[in-house]
Amino acid sequence: RVTPVPSAPADLVEPRLNPNAEVVLTKRYLRKGPDGLPREDYRQMFWRVAATIAAEESKYSSSPYSVAELAQEFYSLMTSWRFLPNSPTLMNAGTELGQLAACFVLPVDDSIDGIFDAVKHAAMIHKSGGGTGFSFSRLRHEGARVGSTGGVASGPISFMKIFNTATEQIKQGGTRRGANMGILRVDHPDIVRFIESKARQGELNNFNISVALTEGFMQAVEKDEEYDLVAPHSGKVKGRLRAREVFNLLVQKAWESGDPGIVFLDRVNRDNPTPDQGEIESTNPCGEQPLLPYEACNLGSINLALLAKPEARDGVDWEELARVVHLSVRFLDNVIDASNYPLPQIGEKVRTNRKIGLGVMGFADLLFQLRVPYDSQEALNLAEKIMKFIQTESKSASAQLAEERGPFPAYETSVYGKRNEGPYRNATTTTIAPTGTLSIIAGCSSGIEPLFALAFSRNVMDGERLMEANPYFEEALKAAQAHSKTLMEDVAKKGSVAHMEHVPEDIRRVFVTAHDVAPQWHLKMQAAFQKYTDNAVSKTVNLPHEATQQDIWNIYWMAYEMGCKGVTVYRDGCRADQVLCTGETP
Ligand code: CDP
C-alpha cells in the first residue's frame, strides 16, 4: 500500500485479555508464520490494525488528527474493549490479503456463466473471512425450458447445493468456516421446494435461508386469498397458491428446524438509501445487513457493558458514548479505503455508497448493572434511547467526515440528497451484528441478546472442569450474601435462576436468560433497536421446546406489524447442529 503505517511507540500499553479471548485470538487472529506459529503478540496485533486503519487519514489534509495520534486513539479504543471492528478487519488489516469486510451480497444471474461466476466469487470471499448473501430469485424454476440445449432447468435449489459444496471445501483462510444466506422471493415457482429444502439434513448446511415476503403476499395471507407464482425469466404466471397455505408451511418448517427465516423485502427497499444504485435483493448471512448486488459492508460494535454509569441520566455514560461513536465512525470509514476487495465491481460499489454498520454488544450486561430486567418496558425505553443516540451521533460524525472528505459519491441522487439532509460520508451508519466472536474477545454479552446461561462449566485439560459465571451476576449474589459454591454449581447445570425460590426475588427478576424471556419480549427488543437502525438487527427470538406452530405464526405476524425487517426464530432443541451465530466457543 502507498500509505505509510506508523510504528508502535515504545510505551504502548499491553492489552489485558480474558482467558477466552486469548484462546480465540491465538487460534484465529494472530498472524502466523510458515511454521504455523504466531508471528505477532496481542499488542502487535492490535497495533497492526490501529496503525493500518489510521494510516488512511494521511490522505485528508483537513483531518483534525495526525496519523500517529489517531493510531494511538484507535489502539486504546479497541484494547479498552469499548469498540471492535468485525473479525476480517482484525484478522486481515495490514496483511497481504487485506480484505476487511464481513458482509457481501453477490448477484446470481440466470445462466450457467452467471451461476458459476457467483460460486467462484463466493469462494474468494470466504477465503478472506467474509460471508456472502445471494438471492436465487432470478434463476428460472425447475423444469423450465433451457433455450440453448432444449433441455430443462434444474432450478434454484439444486444450484444452491453447488454453492453449499464449494463452501464446505474452503475453510476461510484457515480462520472460519464459510457462511451463506440464500433468499428466494415468495412468488418464485419453486418456493415450496425452497421452504422445505433445509429439512433434508446436511444438503444446505452452509446456508441460512430466508423467504422474501412482499406486501402483496402479506395482504393475501390476511385476506386468505391466492397469489401468483411468476417465472422470473419470462414474467409469465406459472401457477397460483393460497397465501395462507404457504405461510403455514413456512411456520411449520421454522418450527421444525428454525429455517427458513423471513425477510420483508418491500420494507427493506423502502429504506434503501440509494434506490438509483439498484434494488436490494439479499442480506448477509446473519440477516443484519441488506446490500445491493456486489456491495460489501464493514461492521463494528460498541461494548455497552463498559458504558454503565449508574449515577448518570438513565445509567449511561452518554458523553463517553458520543466520543466512542465519533471515533468508531471515523475508524469504519477508513476501513472502506484500507480494504482490498476480491472483485473490481465490489470495490467500485463499496466506494460509491460507503456503507458502514456501527452497532452494539454487551446490552444484556448493561441491563444487569443497572438492575433493569430485559423483559421490561424500562429496558425497551433504554434500548430506544441508546440506539437513537447512536444513530444521531453517527450521522453527525458522518456529516463531519463529509465536510472533511466529501460526501459519498452517490449522495446527490440518494434519498438524503433529495431531502437536502446531510451531506453524509456514508449511505448507512448503523447495523446491529450478532458479534459471535467479538463478544468473546471483549468479554461481554453478545449483540443485543440476553445471556444464554448465567453460568456454565466447561471441560479443560486433564478432565478438570472450569466454572464460568457472569461477573455481574456473581457480584449481585455476593452483595446479597446469597453466593455459594453449591448455588453456582446448580446454576451451571440449569443456566437460569428463574425457578430457584431460594435466590432473592430481585435477583431472579433482573438476571433473566434467553429462555426466561417470553418470545414477545425478544421481538419487542428487536423492534426497539430497529426503530433507530439504518440497516437491520441481528436477533433470535428464542422459543421453548413446547412452543406451538401458532406461537411462531403470532411472532411472524407481530414482526410484520411492528416494522421489523425480518425475523429468525429458534425453538429450543429443534436442531442438533446449529449453523452459526450462537457464538463460537473456543
Ligand atoms: O463477531 P464477528 O465479527 O466475528 O461476526 P458476527 O458479528 O457474529 O457476524 C457478522 C457477519 O460476519 C455475519 O453476518 C456474516 O456476514 C459474517 N460471518 C461469516 O461470514 N462467517 C462466520 N463464521 C461468522 C460471521
Side-chain angles (χ1 to χ4, degrees):
R1 298 198 60 82
V2 277
T3 32
V5 173
S7 49
D11 58 350
L12 198 62
V13 186
E14 190 69 41
R16 286 180 49 190
L17 278 86
N18 73 71
N20 292 330
E22 287 191 8
V23 176
V24 172
L25 291 183
T26 305
K27 252 175 109 173
R28 307 207 185 106
Y29 292 67
L30 295 183
R31 289 174 76 186
K32 311 285 186 325
D35 54 0
L37 294 173
R39 258 170 44 197
E40 60 183 3
D41 58 21
Y42 305 125
R43 188 168 156 275
Q44 288 164 328
M45 174 201 146
F46 282 105
W47 182 259
R48 164 171 60 77
V49 180
T52 306
I53 305 307
E56 293 301 321
E57 205 74 11
S58 64
K59 295 196 305 214
Y60 309 109
S61 55
S62 51
S63 170
Y65 293 96
S66 76
V67 170
E69 213 176 27
L70 191 61
Q72 287 259 22
E73 290 276 358
F74 286 165
Y75 181 84
S76 32
L77 184 67
M78 289 186 286
T79 55
S80 63
W81 316 119
R82 277 171 162 68
F83 162 86
L84 288 173
N86 57 206
S87 291
T89 302
L90 292 175
M91 293 168 173
N92 304 333
T95 72
E96 209 164 302
L97 185 60
Q99 195 297 105
L100 310 182
C103 315
F104 292 79
V105 164
L106 292 172
V108 185
D109 283 334
D110 184 37
S111 70
I112 291 297
D113 266 11
I115 292 166
F116 283 87
D117 274 351
V119 173
K120 176 182 168 188
H121 297 157
M124 292 160 69
I125 291 167
H126 291 169
K127 229 173 70 176
S128 70
T132 42
F134 316 87
S135 163
F136 292 98
S137 303
R138 270 180 258 171
L139 299 191
R140 70 191 66 190
H141 54 280
E142 186 186 356
R145 294 275 308 224
V146 178
S148 58
T149 61
V152 291
S154 34
I157 294 98
S158 69
F159 284 117
M160 284 173 75
K161 290 182 204 159
I162 298 173
F163 286 80
N164 193 70
T165 308
T167 305
E168 192 73 43
Q169 307 313 322
I170 294 157
K171 283 188 97 190
Q172 299 203 346
T175 51
R176 52 183 182 177
R177 91 176 220 223
N180 299 299
M181 169 64 85
I183 288 188
L184 199 70
R185 284 177 63 99
V186 73
D187 52 9
H188 190 283
D190 288 351
I191 191 63
V192 170
R193 286 196 64 209
F194 180 79
I195 294 172
E196 291 173 339
S197 64
K198 282 225 47 169
R200 283 183 292 277
Q201 280 295 322
E203 276 188 2
L204 295 176
N205 61 325
N206 297 310
F207 269 97
N208 289 327
I209 64 166
S210 253
V211 175
L213 303 180
T214 57
E215 215 65 45
F217 173 81
M218 292 306 282
Q219 280 157 17
V221 174
E222 200 165 7
K223 296 189 203 131
D224 195 9
E225 286 173 356
E226 291 190 339
Y227 74 105
D228 290 341
L229 299 180
V230 184
H233 61 304
S234 66
K236 285 195 186 128
V237 175
K238 283 288 150 194
R240 286 173 73 74
L241 287 174
R242 238 185 91 197
R244 265 193 202 174
E245 268 174 29
V246 174
F247 203 73
N248 269 332
L249 184 67
L250 252 170
V251 164
Q252 183 199 329
K253 291 297 153 192
W255 182 86
E256 286 169 5
S257 71
D259 270 304
I262 56 175
V263 48
F264 299 114
L265 202 57
D266 299 346
R267 205 168 272 177
V268 164
N269 274 297
R270 207 176 306 145
D271 290 346
N272 178 358
T274 56
D276 62 307
Q277 299 293 312
E279 200 179 310
I280 294 172
E281 50 178 32
S282 181
T283 68
N284 68 331
C286 302
E288 72 276 15
Q289 188 62 52
L291 291 170
L292 302 171
Y294 287 127
E295 203 171 23
C297 183
N298 71 89
L299 312 177
S301 301
I302 293 174
N303 181 0
L304 294 175
L306 299 177
L307 296 175
K309 193 176 178 186
E311 69 277 16
R313 182 172 45 88
D314 296 308
V316 173
D317 190 342
W318 299 105
E319 223 173 289
E320 175 62 0
L321 181 55
R323 186 189 75 88
V324 170
V325 170
H326 281 256
L327 208 47
S328 304
V329 168
R330 186 175 292 272
F331 186 107
L332 296 175
D333 189 63
N334 285 10
V335 169
I336 296 174
D337 295 327
S339 182
N340 289 335
Y341 297 94
L343 292 170
Q345 309 83 303
I346 295 179
E348 198 180 306
K349 257 277 175 295
V350 170
R351 284 186 288 264
T352 304
N353 298 326
R354 303 192 68 87
K355 285 181 184 168
I356 57 171
L358 181 61
V360 297
M361 55 185 166
F363 179 62
D365 281 341
L366 173 71
L367 294 179
F368 283 169
Q369 293 171 77
L370 303 179
R371 300 291 188 269
V372 175
Y374 190 95
D375 48 348
S376 68
Q377 188 56 46
E378 204 185 338
L380 296 181
N381 295 348
L382 187 61
E384 284 201 14
K385 275 186 197 157
I386 289 176
M387 209 51 218
K388 185 177 184 184
F389 184 85
I390 294 177
Q391 178 77 316
T392 309
E393 290 303 319
S394 68
K395 288 278 175 279
S396 120
S398 187
Q400 162 79 27
L401 290 178
E403 236 168 79
E404 291 172 26
R405 314 172 166 188
F408 64 94
Y411 167 76
E412 285 300 332
T413 49
S414 75
V415 294
Y416 305 115
K418 292 200 170 134
R419 286 203 298 254
N420 264 328
E421 189 191 323
Y424 299 120
R425 177 71 172 160
N426 314 91
T428 68
T429 54
T430 46
T431 303
I432 311 262
T435 71
T437 335
L438 295 189
S439 61
I440 297 175
I441 299 171
C444 63
S445 59
S446 56
I448 60 162
E449 298 289 0
L451 240 59
F452 219 78
L454 291 168
F456 56 90
S457 66
R458 68 165 96 224
N459 280 317
V460 288
M461 277 170 290
D462 307 325
E464 210 186 320
R465 292 185 75 76
L466 201 71
M467 168 96 77
E468 244 184 82
N470 180 270
Y472 308 106
F473 171 61
E474 278 201 291
E475 231 174 72
L477 283 178
K478 283 178 185 156
Q481 294 184 339
H483 191 279
S484 75
K485 196 161 172 263
T486 344
L487 173 65
M488 293 312 291
E489 275 166 7
D490 207 18
V491 178
K493 267 188 223 126
K494 301 203 173 72
S496 146
V497 289
H499 302 293
M500 294 186 186
E501 277 169 20
H502 52 291
V503 172
E505 175 63 34
D506 52 334
I507 291 187
R508 286 166 56 196
R509 181 65 192 104
V510 168
F511 292 90
V512 289
T513 64
H515 283 291
D516 304 330
V517 171
Q520 286 74 7
W521 283 100
H522 279 281
L523 197 71
K524 281 183 194 173
M525 193 55 83
Q526 179 181 333
F529 275 97
Q530 182 64 70
K531 206 165 157 185
Y532 298 104
T533 303
D534 286 334
N535 296 300
V537 174
S538 166
K539 177 87 190 76
T540 302
V541 174
N542 291 96
L543 295 148
H545 188 70
E546 313 75 54
T548 61
Q549 294 188 21
Q550 184 63 47
D551 292 333
I552 292 183
W553 173 291
N554 294 346
I555 287 295
Y556 278 9
W557 206 261
M558 200 173 142
Y560 174 61
E561 288 185 332
M562 290 185 81
C564 294
K565 291 197 171 162
V567 63
T568 307
V569 297
Y570 186 72
R571 187 172 63 92
D572 192 29
C574 74
R575 193 163 64 197
D577 64 317
Q578 195 95 333
V579 178
L580 88 166
C581 298
T582 44
E584 303 165 305
T585 23

